[in-house]
């Protein structure tokens, strides 16, 4: 399968609001300008999502402006004990007023509401994430302060068109950032140790079609002492120019082609907590996945519906770098998800 790489800075959108080039990059080279969006401002969706994984626990923070709906989310997961709490306050019709930056490289964003606040500060490669929410678990608040540093030189960047004029998705995933800090939940303090804690950024900007389904998987950690991670995904848009499948090893990105998600079924229904498997058409990614926790939610309000299964678990298998080097991992903590949206 052909993978078209973008290797120089270009405008993301043309005068009609269509992508100037579909494909992938290893840095945030296409320049996003909100003023060039033509697919309808009520269809524009912008978000910054951070996942920070420590030893046996994880914190996820989201600030999203989906035009007619703002979504601010805080999740905490205790993977050793098998529980999670997610609180997602909704704002009506922000229509871009949230102020999410036009690039992931600079700019900060903060949001606050009744009983909560989230702040993402980006200062020359060091990212500081702060979150508070009243009565998060058992009547007690959540307070988190995390610093992400040492971003890898290369990341996953993709420009995906939809088969509709003015519709597109521009996305960057940054894996393997070292995490340090704390999260206080239910009277307990969890410590993110940079020796074994890593952060991932999902930075998304795009005009989406109404009904779509995506599959996404990600993990970051150490493989024999070397920072290693991967981003895999499929399910929406026209990916004939490039997929979002990529390996990260020692700060460098290695492009994969197509990766298939094999979710087990039981009596015709997906069984998310049974072992999954993953294979790639180029033979460079072979993984088994043993789930430990399904962060499931289904929201339905009028014509808006989101059915989400973000499953955390342990990956075991092999990945092959561009050089042919084989990276083997065992019980490597990460997640894989299936999300269906009508939005």
């Amino acid at each position: 399968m052909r993978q078209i790489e973008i290797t120089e800075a270009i405008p993301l959108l043309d005068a009609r609001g269509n992508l100037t080039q579909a494909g992938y990059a290893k840095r945030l080279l296409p320049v996003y300008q909100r003023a060039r969006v033509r697919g309808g401002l009520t269809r524009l969706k912008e978000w910054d999502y951070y996942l920070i994984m420590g030893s046996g626990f994880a914190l996820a923070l989201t600030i999203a402006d989906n035009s007619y709906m703002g979504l601010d989310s805080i999740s905490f997961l205790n993977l050793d004990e098998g529980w999670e709490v997610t609180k997602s306050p909704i704002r009506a019709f922000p229509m871009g007023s949230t102020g999410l930056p036009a690039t992931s490289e600079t700019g900060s964003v903060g949001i606050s509401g009744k009983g909560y606040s989230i702040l993402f500060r980006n200062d020359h490669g060091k990212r500081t994430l702060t979150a508070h929410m009243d009565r998060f678990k058992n009547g007690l608040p959540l307070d988190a302060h995390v610093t992400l540093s040492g971003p890898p030189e290369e990341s996953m960047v993709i420009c995906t068109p939809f088969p509709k004029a003015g519709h597109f998705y521009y996305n960057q995933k940054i894996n393997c950032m070292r995490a340090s800090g704390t999260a206080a939940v239910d009277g307990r303090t969890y410590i993110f140790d940079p020796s074994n804690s890593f952060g991932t950024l999902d930075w998304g900007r795009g005009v989406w079609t109404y009904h779509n389904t995506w599959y996404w998987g990600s993990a970051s950690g150490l493989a024999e002492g070397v920072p290693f991670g991967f981003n895999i995904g499929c399910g929406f848009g026209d990916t004939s120019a490039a997929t979002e499948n990529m390996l990260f090893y020692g700060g460098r990105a290695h492009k994969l082609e197509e990766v298939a998600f094999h979710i087990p079924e039981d009596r015709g229904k997906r069984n998310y907590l049974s072992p999954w498997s993953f294979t790639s058409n180029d033979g460079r990614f072979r993984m088994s996945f043993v789930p430990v926790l399904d962060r499931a939610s289904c929201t339905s309000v009028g014509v808006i519906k989101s059915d989400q299964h973000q499953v955390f678990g342990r990956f075991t298998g092999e990945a092959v770098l561009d050089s042919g080097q084989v990276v083997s991992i065992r019980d490597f903590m990460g997640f894989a998800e299936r999300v269906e949206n009508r939005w």
Side-chain angles (χ1 to χ4, degrees):
M1 178 181 178
R2 187 185 181 196
Q3 303 284 296
I4 298 175
E5 183 177 3
I6 300 168
T7 58
E8 60 183 10
I10 58 173
L12 177 72
L13 302 175
D14 62 21
R16 298 179 181 177
N18 296 313
L19 292 175
T20 59
Q21 176 65 67
Y24 80 96
K26 296 179 180 180
R27 296 176 177 83
L28 199 73
L29 294 174
V31 178
Y32 172 68
Q33 295 173 287
R34 205 171 191 276
R36 288 201 170 202
V37 171
R38 295 290 182 270
L41 289 179
T42 59
R43 306 302 309 156
L44 177 61
K45 305 179 191 306
E46 302 177 316
W47 65 73
D48 288 7
Y49 167 86
Y50 286 95
L51 174 67
I52 310 97
M53 297 193 68
S55 180
F57 57 92
L59 173 72
L61 304 172
T62 305
I63 299 177
D65 188 320
N66 296 328
S67 298
Y68 55 82
M69 177 189 69
L71 180 71
D72 312 315
S73 184
I74 300 175
S75 295
F76 187 84
L77 307 94
N78 189 315
L79 301 171
D80 287 340
E81 297 177 6
W83 58 263
E84 66 90 15
V85 176
T86 298
K87 299 289 183 69
S88 302
I90 292 175
R91 293 172 284 120
F93 298 99
M95 299 302 294
S97 64
T98 306
L100 286 156
T103 172
S104 69
E105 297 178 346
T106 59
S108 302
V109 62
I111 199 74
S112 62
K114 185 177 180 180
Y116 79 95
S117 62
I118 306 173
L119 174 63
F120 300 155
R121 189 178 299 279
N122 187 356
D123 185 16
H124 303 291
K126 184 176 77 171
R127 301 169 189 269
T128 304
L129 317 178
T130 306
H132 168 84
M133 182 168 285
D134 293 344
R135 296 180 294 280
F136 184 76
K137 186 175 190 293
N138 292 329
L140 296 175
L142 173 144
D143 282 287
H145 189 278
V146 178
T147 298
L148 302 180
S149 59
E153 185 175 346
E154 297 180 337
S155 60
M156 193 291 300
V157 176
I158 191 166
C159 305
T160 303
F162 288 93
K164 187 175 182 179
H167 288 60
F168 67 93
Y169 182 45
Y170 185 35
N171 183 221
Q172 181 182 36
K173 306 278 179 50
I174 303 177
N175 285 58
C176 299
M177 293 182 283
R178 296 279 184 171
S180 61
T182 60
V185 182
D186 196 20
R188 300 163 62 180
T189 299
Y190 299 81
I191 298 175
F192 293 100
D193 183 336
S195 68
N196 60 19
S197 301
F198 292 88
T200 298
L201 169 63
D202 171 16
W203 184 90
R205 307 290 187 267
V207 177
W208 285 72
T209 53
Y210 170 63
H211 184 202
N212 42 72
T213 299
W214 72 62
Y215 297 79
W216 179 31
S218 180
S220 294
L222 297 174
E224 297 185 350
V226 179
F228 171 72
F230 55 82
N231 184 85
I232 54 176
C234 60
F236 63 90
D238 179 359
T239 57
S240 59
T243 67
E244 64 175 279
N245 302 309
M246 198 173 279
L247 307 173
F248 310 99
Y249 186 80
R252 294 290 184 174
H254 302 257
K255 190 71 181 68
L256 302 176
E257 294 182 8
E258 296 178 322
V259 173
F261 288 52
H262 305 287
I263 305 174
E265 293 190 359
D266 183 9
R267 299 179 183 179
K269 294 185 178 181
R270 297 177 187 86
N271 187 342
Y272 290 100
L273 288 175
S274 290
W276 304 22
S277 64
F278 302 85
T279 56
S280 65
N281 67 322
D282 53 17
R284 293 176 53 190
F285 191 84
R286 299 180 298 276
M287 293 285 166
S288 63
F289 177 67
V290 178
V292 298
L293 179 64
D294 180 7
R295 193 185 70 82
S297 67
C298 186
T299 303
S300 182
V301 181
V303 298
I304 301 170
K305 183 178 180 179
S306 182
D307 187 2
Q308 305 182 18
H309 288 271
Q310 184 181 33
V311 182
F312 288 78
R314 297 180 175 90
F315 290 89
T316 297
E318 295 181 339
V320 182
L321 306 182
D322 291 343
S323 64
Q325 177 184 346
V326 178
V327 179
S328 298
I329 57 174
R330 184 174 182 81
D331 295 332
F332 200 82
M333 188 62 75
F335 74 88
E337 69 179 32
R338 180 185 183 275
V339 177
E340 181 179 6
N341 285 325
R342 296 177 186 271
W343 59 345

